[in-house]
């Protein structure tokens, strides 16, 4: 398939050297707060930790090597509804491969999926079955990475993103395709199952939650031991872990100045979540994910100023959710069933060790056809446990090709 014609343009990442020098200079001149003796992660990222990681980012991390590695993956941009959309597009050597759309969440980017590109696109070269191959389309959400700047308000609305992704897949010539989403991307994936149901072969989800964070705490009675532990962690997160969400959902512009002007602020803002949301067995973020991959993701946020625009996307997404929640009980999705009770493409869910998803709360009607639970990994499974992630995606879609 020729993806260089029309409105689809080849893309290379080429960060100017002055921007890299500016990053290093700002990190060297960071005005650090005074450390409070005895404080740890319970108050946020400890000063000693973020100082050490910032110094590694400044002196040891090689952005040019990361950039070159990214540029070895075919990348493109297109314009949909006036918004530039950046995406990776990896064609499998197996011409009969199933197209697979992978959508990341916050605070992430297509970098999240780098470790599964080979196993998914060319499983025969990674101890897998060539029949499980996928053609991969991995877009950057509007306001994230190189899908910036955002040209107009409203791109935090997941329905709008879902419609844009459907148009992207049509523009690429894919008449039938699979979908995976995590975090915000899981919401986009669910919407694609509605707006493009005739072309979506199935929807695979990770990074989901048992209930909306703004709802009541989960009841513990009647739950299995494992689900009770998940519910307790979710309730603790709801009471003590939503500071970032309240700020992005209510005052994104105020936060934007810090994330755009201070790389140390952007680093801490992201790294906190890679400590709190990854495998509980990992003490530090780099114990859960590759440090260079993490810093590549943070660097993309910094160079593209996506800290601000992704915060605005959170604001708009929460506004849209509140409007829907306040709407008629007869509206599609008002009952928690996104397709309004209509049958849709098959759904699969993978729950990793740090996740708080509970099956009988997410799927009370028992419609989810594939449900996997793992004792490793967390909110970023393609980074943390790429073997488990790739195997689960392949297993779910094997019967849907």
């Amino acid at each position: 398939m020729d993806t260089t014609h029309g409105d689809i343009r080849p893309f290379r990442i080429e960060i100017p050297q002055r921007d890299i020098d500016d990053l290093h200079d700002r990190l060297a001149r960071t005005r650090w707060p005074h450390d409070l003796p005895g404080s740890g992660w319970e108050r946020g990222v400890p000063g000693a930790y973020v100082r050490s990681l910032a110094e590694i980012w400044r002196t040891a991390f090689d952005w040019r090597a990361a950039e070159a590695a990214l540029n070895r993956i075919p990348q493109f941009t297109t314009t949909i509804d006036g918004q530039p959309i950046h995406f990776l597009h990896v064609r499998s050597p197996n011409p009969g491969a199933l197209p697979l759309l992978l959508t990341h969440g916050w605070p992430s980017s297509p970098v999240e999926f780098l470790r599964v590109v080979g196993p998914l696109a060319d499983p025969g070269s990674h101890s897998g079955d060539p029949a499980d191959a996928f053609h991969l389309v991995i877009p950057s959400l509007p306001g994230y990475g190189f899908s910036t700047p955002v040209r107009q308000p409203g791109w935090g609305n997941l329905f709008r993103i879902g419609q844009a992704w459907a148009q992207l897949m049509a523009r690429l010539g894919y008449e039938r395709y699979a979908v995976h989403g995590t975090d915000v991307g899981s919401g986009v994936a669910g919407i694609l199952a509605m707006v493009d149901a005739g072309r979506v072969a199935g929807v695979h989800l990770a990074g989901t939650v048992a209930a909306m964070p703004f709802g009541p705490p989960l009841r513990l009675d009647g739950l299995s031991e494992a689900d009770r532990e998940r519910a307790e962690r979710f309730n603790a997160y709801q009471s003590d872990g939503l500071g970032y969400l309240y700020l992005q959902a209510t005052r994104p512009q105020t936060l934007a100045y810090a994330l755009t002007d201070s790389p140390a602020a952007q680093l801490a803002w992201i790294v906190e979540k890679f400590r709190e949301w990854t495998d509980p067995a990992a003490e530090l973020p780099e114990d859960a994910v590759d440090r260079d991959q993490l810093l590549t993701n943070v660097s993309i946020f910094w160079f593209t100023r996506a800290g601000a625009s992704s915060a605005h996307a959170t604001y708009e997404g929460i506004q849209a959710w509140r409007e829907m929640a306040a709407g008629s009980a007869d509206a599609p999705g008002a009952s928690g069933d996104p397709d309004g009770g209509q049958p849709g493409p098959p759904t699969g869910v993978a729950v990793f060790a740090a996740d708080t998803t509970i099956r009988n709360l997410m799927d009370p009607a028992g419609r989810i056809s594939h449900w996997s639970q793992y004792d490793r990994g967390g909110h970023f499974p393609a980074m943390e446990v790429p073997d488990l992630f790739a195997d689960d995606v392949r297993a779910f879609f094997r019967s849907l090709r």
Side-chain angles (χ1 to χ4, degrees):
M1 184 192 321
D2 180 9
T3 57
T4 63
H5 61 82
D7 193 41
I8 296 177
R9 303 169 296 277
F11 179 84
R12 283 181 59 83
I13 303 170
E14 296 177 331
I15 300 300
Q17 186 60 43
R18 64 178 179 275
D19 290 355
I20 300 172
D21 294 341
D22 176 69
L23 167 63
H24 293 165
D25 180 61
R26 287 171 183 264
L27 287 169
R29 295 187 297 105
T30 300
R31 188 169 182 254
W32 298 103
H34 295 298
D35 291 338
L36 187 64
S39 63
W41 285 91
E42 73 279 356
R43 293 175 182 253
V45 187
Y49 178 79
V50 76
R51 286 178 192 237
S52 173
L53 191 57
E55 185 64 9
I56 291 170
W57 191 16
R58 185 179 75 88
T59 63
F61 173 71
D62 186 347
W63 165 255
R64 288 301 186 204
E67 183 181 71
L70 287 167
N71 282 332
R72 286 192 285 271
I73 301 173
Q75 299 174 61
F76 303 87
T77 59
T78 191
T79 302
I80 298 176
D81 194 12
Q83 175 60 33
I85 300 296
H86 163 264
F87 61 98
L88 314 183
H89 188 200
V90 180
R91 295 280 297 176
S92 171
N94 181 349
L98 177 66
L100 173 61
L101 175 67
L102 297 162
T103 304
H104 66 86
W106 183 91
S108 195
S109 68
V111 166
E112 179 171 349
F113 298 109
L114 292 182
R115 298 181 70 189
V116 297
V117 166
L120 292 178
D122 188 11
S125 298
H126 295 80
S127 303
D129 185 346
D132 288 330
F134 297 94
H135 301 307
L136 302 179
V137 179
I138 313 176
S140 299
L141 288 166
Y144 291 71
F146 299 98
S147 291
T148 52
V150 177
R151 302 298 189 189
Q152 56 185 235
W155 277 106
N157 187 314
L158 301 190
F159 278 92
R160 188 176 187 183
I161 298 171
Q163 291 167 338
W165 278 193
Q167 185 173 343
L168 172 63
M169 296 304 280
R171 192 170 290 182
L172 290 171
Y174 291 130
E175 296 181 359
R176 184 173 181 269
Y177 61 96
V179 176
H180 165 80
T182 185
D183 188 82
V184 173
S186 68
V188 177
I191 287 165
L192 273 165
M194 291 186 285
V195 303
D196 210 17
R199 296 196 301 143
V200 172
V203 174
H204 184 272
L205 306 174
T208 56
V209 294
M212 282 301 294
F214 298 122
L218 299 182
R219 296 175 60 89
L220 303 182
D221 51 298
L223 297 178
S224 67
E225 181 178 351
D227 284 345
R228 175 183 290 267
E229 192 272 334
R230 289 189 184 92
E232 288 173 343
R233 283 192 286 110
F234 177 82
N235 289 343
Y237 160 74
Q238 190 182 53
S239 66
D240 191 49
L242 292 179
Y244 82 98
L245 184 58
Y246 280 111
L247 187 52
Q248 293 196 154
T250 59
R251 298 295 184 271
Q253 187 60 37
T254 303
L255 174 65
Y257 304 114
L259 299 183
T260 305
D261 191 59
S262 169
Q266 180 66 90
L267 177 66
W269 194 246
I270 290 178
V271 164
E272 179 186 281
K273 300 312 168 195
F274 275 82
R275 200 267 182 172
E276 293 184 347
W277 296 350
T278 50
D279 193 323
E283 181 179 353
L284 296 173
E286 60 266 36
D287 297 330
V289 302
D290 178 78
R291 187 174 63 196
D292 277 1
Q293 189 178 11
L294 173 58
L295 289 175
T296 299
N297 183 59
V298 176
S299 297
I300 289 174
F301 267 82
W302 173 256
F303 290 132
T304 64
R305 309 187 190 197
S309 51
S310 64
H312 280 284
T314 301
Y315 173 88
E316 293 175 351
I318 293 297
Q319 293 299 314
W321 173 76
R322 285 172 171 162
E323 290 174 7
M324 183 185 73
S328 168
D330 295 327
S335 66
D337 182 0
D339 59 17
Q342 299 300 313
T347 300
V349 175
V351 180
F352 295 88
D355 290 336
T356 56
T357 303
I358 297 173
R359 183 167 192 172
N360 66 359
L361 297 179
M362 181 177 180
D363 183 34
R367 294 180 180 175
I368 294 176
S369 59
H370 171 98
W371 189 279
S372 302
Q373 294 183 181
Y374 298 99
D375 60 4
R376 293 190 289 136
H379 196 69
F380 310 94
M383 295 177 74
E384 298 178 66
V385 283
D387 53 340
L388 297 182
F389 176 85
D391 285 347
D392 202 81
V393 170
R394 290 191 292 238
F396 172 63
F397 287 111
R398 193 166 289 140
S399 65
L400 302 176
R401 292 175 175 271

